[in-house]
Amino acid sequence: MKIVIIGAVAGGASAAARARRLSEDAEIILLERGPEPSFANCGLPYYVGGKIQSRDKLLVAPAERLRQRYRLDVRTLSEVTQINRDEKTVTVRDLQTGKTYDESYDKLIYATGAAAFKPPIPGIDGERIMSLRDLPDADRLLAQVVMKSDSSQPPRRCVVVGAGFIGIEVVENMIERGIETTLVELSDQILPPWDREMIEPFHSLLSDRGVKLHLSDSAVRFEDDGTELTVHLKSGAVLHADFAVVSIGVRPENTLALEAGLLCGDRGGVVTNEHMQTSDSNIYAVGDVAEVRCSITGDTTQIPLAGPANRQGRIAADHLFGRDSKYRGTQGTAIVGVFGRAAAMTGLSEKVLQRMRRAYEKVYVHPADHAGYYPGATAMSLKLLFDPENGKILGAQAVGTNGVDKRIDVIAMAIQAEMTVYDLEEAELCYAPQFGSAKDPVNMAGFVAAGVLRGDQPVVHAADVLDVATAIPADESVFLLDVRTPSEFSAGHVDGAANYPLEQLREHLHELPRDREIFVYCKVGQRGYMATRLLAQKGFNVKNLSGGYTTYRHVEIPRPVLQ
């Protein structure tokens, strides 16, 4: 069998290596347009920032290693310009010599990935407007970053447009390089895949590190006078910089597929089945260029992540050699770090569930990453989304300093196994005080969610409490009850709330209204839960604020737009 693979990096290189492990006799040709067949594009911001000092460290599988270890025919600087389905050939242009030739195939794997999206903004093609998608991009950006300036020039300045994964990582590394950095984002939050209240603390984190934020804004024009770059924003703001990095998403590199008549989805991804086959059974598509299924909803989706791309390459290779290998779908498990903090997620976000108009419930917990009595414990926030009928887990998000990845990974596996919040209650996870708690944050989320479903602790959410607190005229149907200590209450509380500390609550039951619904809250939800149980047993109509005042503050804080 002769296998031709267009594009390497994650999906293509994984498919090639797997194909060789399955067949020593197959002819495997790997065609890569760039100078390197497989590199760690997730490491590019850290190479530019100097954390990864050697460029060679980014070469996951150098061409010579692929040739020697796997006996692959690796051809770099080889651009495929056409797929000829009837003849089962591809037309290839050697970028070094300019010569063109046709290469036949029995099976073709299409792994061209995705390219940085560049909207038609005036000036966006200027020399000092960067993107960061591959090694040449990284080399170009690094040259700007380390460019020497004479002492008469001001500190070097950078504008980053787009606050997704790459944009945030570029911002962190520019600040670490001592470069004055401004971040522009169209959404009202950074990291748009997350729900806003989970990411709210990161806005202050960035501002504290000197990043200037322009949220709910966008670049409309770039001007370069040869001395400095000027970025004009939709809001009317004008930013001055030495260079800019545009990172506002990627689009599938599907030109060859479209020209060859392969079926593509509405967002441009090449349509595939569970075996990664395209509409042509002799052609497979893997990685960022492929349209796949969401493992939770079954709907089509495109989430450009390295892990799924590697698995898809392996599955394509399996199937073309006759194995019944299937892709389960993508659930969007991801993590990003910035200035020592991390945000991770898996499954569906609340905003996606709302767009789908799908019923859901949610809970928040704010535990420590390990036992509080052991030194170094740090707080995290964990949000769990689940089906209100059967408790099936729909998604989760966590932010914190340590242990965020561990908890989201556990929940990601639970989603794959179609588990429920009741299963999280029973999950047996490793424990020692320096690593976790006897009741792990995952267990705690399960306890709270299962309690909601059982009716043990009816919950109300921060947005509902905020509506009551800001209602004009005042909402007389709801009584806001703060069960924290007086000192906590005086440091900040929900407007209109009455303070009855939990330890004294039993002595003041006669002062609470029985003809009004009571929304009770504490710092993170635990004391509120205890108060809810107490009051419910005494005949009060009561609900606990999930996540307590901590979550409320993240919802209440205005979205910052700093000039």
Side-chain angles (χ1 to χ4, degrees):
M1 182 183 293
K2 184 177 182 180
I3 303 166
V4 172
I5 302 172
I6 306 174
V9 193
S14 294
R18 178 63 174 172
R20 176 57 74 220
R21 290 194 294 271
L22 295 176
S23 173
E24 269 296 309
D25 299 324
E27 182 181 359
I28 305 170
I29 300 173
L30 187 60
L31 301 171
E32 169 55 44
R33 180 175 58 192
E36 301 291 345
S38 186
F39 62 92
N41 52 6
C42 295
L44 296 178
Y46 303 100
Y47 169 60
V48 174
K51 291 184 176 68
I52 299 173
Q53 296 187 358
S54 172
R55 189 179 188 275
D56 290 344
K57 293 289 186 181
L58 297 173
L59 304 181
V60 177
E64 199 55 36
R65 182 189 302 169
L66 292 174
R67 295 186 183 107
Q68 294 179 356
R69 183 172 295 178
Y70 297 100
R71 294 297 188 267
L72 303 177
D73 184 352
V74 180
R75 305 178 192 175
T76 56
L77 298 174
S78 296
E79 181 180 23
V80 175
T81 59
Q82 190 171 338
I83 299 172
N84 312 299
R85 290 170 56 195
D86 292 340
E87 295 81 14
K88 293 181 71 173
T89 66
V90 295
T91 302
V92 186
R93 180 169 65 241
D94 187 320
L95 297 179
Q96 291 179 297
T97 66
K99 294 182 179 179
T100 298
Y101 62 92
D102 287 343
E103 190 67 60
S104 64
Y105 64 84
D106 295 315
K107 299 291 182 181
L108 180 68
I109 298 178
Y110 189 69
T112 52
F117 176 58
K118 295 180 70 174
I121 299 173
I124 197 169
D125 293 321
E127 291 185 1
R128 290 198 280 186
I129 314 296
M130 313 286 172
S131 60
L132 189 58
R133 188 64 184 166
D134 54 25
L135 279 170
D137 285 345
D139 293 336
R140 185 166 164 246
L141 180 54
L142 181 61
Q144 277 287 342
V145 168
V146 301
M147 186 183 297
K148 302 299 181 182
S149 301
D150 63 57
S151 59
S152 65
Q153 291 183 317
R156 296 192 59 77
R157 301 156 299 171
C158 170
V159 172
V160 177
V161 181
F165 292 89
I166 297 297
I168 288 297
E169 291 167 350
V170 169
V171 164
E172 178 186 28
N173 283 281
M174 293 301 99
I175 291 293
E176 295 292 346
R177 284 279 194 180
I179 295 173
E180 181 182 309
T181 305
T182 301
L183 177 60
V184 179
E185 168 56 44
L186 180 63
S187 175
D188 64 354
Q189 65 173 85
I190 66 168
L191 297 171
W194 276 259
D195 293 324
R196 189 187 63 81
E197 79 279 8
M198 297 299 291
I199 293 301
E200 188 67 47
F202 281 63
H203 295 149
S204 297
L205 175 65
L206 290 175
S207 297
D208 290 345
R209 295 302 297 265
V211 180
K212 298 179 181 178
L213 291 174
H214 288 261
L215 302 179
S216 301
D217 212 344
S218 59
V220 295
R221 188 169 78 255
F222 297 95
E223 294 179 350
D224 189 346
D225 64 3
T227 301
E228 70 173 8
L229 180 69
T230 304
V231 184
H232 297 264
L233 303 186
K234 186 176 182 180
S235 64
V238 178
L239 309 178
H240 301 279
D242 296 289
F243 62 95
V245 180
V246 176
S247 180
I248 53 178
V250 295
R251 298 292 185 271
E253 292 215 46
N254 62 2
T255 302
L256 293 174
L258 288 170
E259 291 175 349
L262 296 178
L263 184 62
C264 294
D266 293 339
R267 297 174 61 188
V270 180
V271 174
T272 60
N273 63 16
E274 60 188 356
H275 306 297
M276 306 311 302
Q277 283 177 301
T278 68
S279 52
D280 183 328
S281 61
N282 292 312
I283 302 177
Y284 295 75
V286 301
D288 295 354
V289 76
E291 179 182 270
V292 294
R293 296 284 175 180
C294 170
S295 63
I296 302 171
T297 67
D299 297 333
T300 58
T301 188
Q302 278 185 256
I303 303 178
L305 294 169
N310 277 281
R311 291 193 297 278
Q312 291 162 19
R314 179 185 178 93
I315 288 166
D318 278 353
H319 190 259
L320 66 83
F321 279 111
R323 298 194 175 198
D324 189 29
S325 192
K326 299 176 182 179
Y327 186 60
R328 296 182 184 179
T330 297
Q331 65 192 63
T333 306
I335 189 168
V336 63
V338 57
F339 299 126
R341 300 272 290 174
M345 69 181 300
T346 187
L348 305 177
S349 65
E350 183 174 6
K351 64 179 72 172
V352 168
L353 287 164
Q354 289 175 342
R355 285 200 297 267
M356 295 172 57
R357 298 184 179 180
R358 176 166 180 167
Y360 69 93
E361 184 54 277
K362 61 181 178 179
V363 295
Y364 300 86
V365 293
H366 301 281
D369 68 294
H370 64 249
Y373 63 83
Y374 190 87
T378 58
M380 71 170 64
S381 295
L382 176 60
K383 178 180 185 179
L384 185 68
L385 298 142
F386 54 96
D387 190 303
E389 296 297 322
N390 56 28
K392 183 179 177 182
I393 304 163
L394 302 176
Q397 300 176 30
V399 298
T401 303
N402 301 313
V404 166
D405 53 342
K406 170 183 175 180
R407 276 68 190 203
I408 291 299
D409 281 344
V410 170
I411 297 175
M413 288 300 298
I415 291 174
Q416 280 207 18
E418 299 187 349
M419 290 181 173
T420 69
V421 298
Y422 305 111
D423 294 308
L424 297 188
E425 283 187 298
E426 301 298 327
E428 184 176 332
L429 305 173
C430 60
Y431 161 62
Q434 65 269 48
F435 298 108
S437 300
K439 295 178 181 178
D440 190 85
V442 171
N443 299 129
M444 293 302 300
F447 292 147
V448 176
V452 170
L453 294 183
R454 294 188 183 108
D456 292 340
Q457 58 160 319
V459 292
V460 66
H461 296 295
D464 302 310
V465 174
L466 183 61
D467 287 343
V468 172
T470 57
I472 301 177
D475 187 345
E476 297 295 340
S477 67
V478 176
F479 182 79
L480 299 175
L481 174 59
D482 187 320
V483 296
R484 298 175 300 158
T485 65
S487 61
E488 289 177 287
F489 183 81
S490 63
H493 58 268
V494 178
D495 289 345
N499 183 214
Y500 289 86
L502 176 62
E503 292 75 13
Q504 303 167 20
L505 187 59
R506 291 176 179 87
E507 286 72 40
H508 294 275
L509 295 181
H510 64 282
E511 301 176 23
L512 303 181
R514 290 187 175 274
D515 60 344
R516 298 167 66 182
E517 189 173 25
I518 297 176
F519 290 171
V520 61
Y521 71 91
C522 62
K523 180 180 180 181
V524 298
Q526 186 176 29
R527 285 172 288 175
Y529 163 60
M530 296 170 67
T532 300
R533 295 299 303 146
L534 187 165
L535 295 175
Q537 293 177 67
K538 294 297 183 178
F540 290 91
N541 180 11
V542 60
K543 291 181 179 178
N544 182 28
L545 172 57
S546 183
Y549 190 65
T550 299
T551 295
Y552 178 82
R553 286 291 293 145
H554 295 163
V555 172
E556 179 195 35
I557 295 173
R559 300 159 178 79
V561 181
L562 306 180
Q563 303 299 327

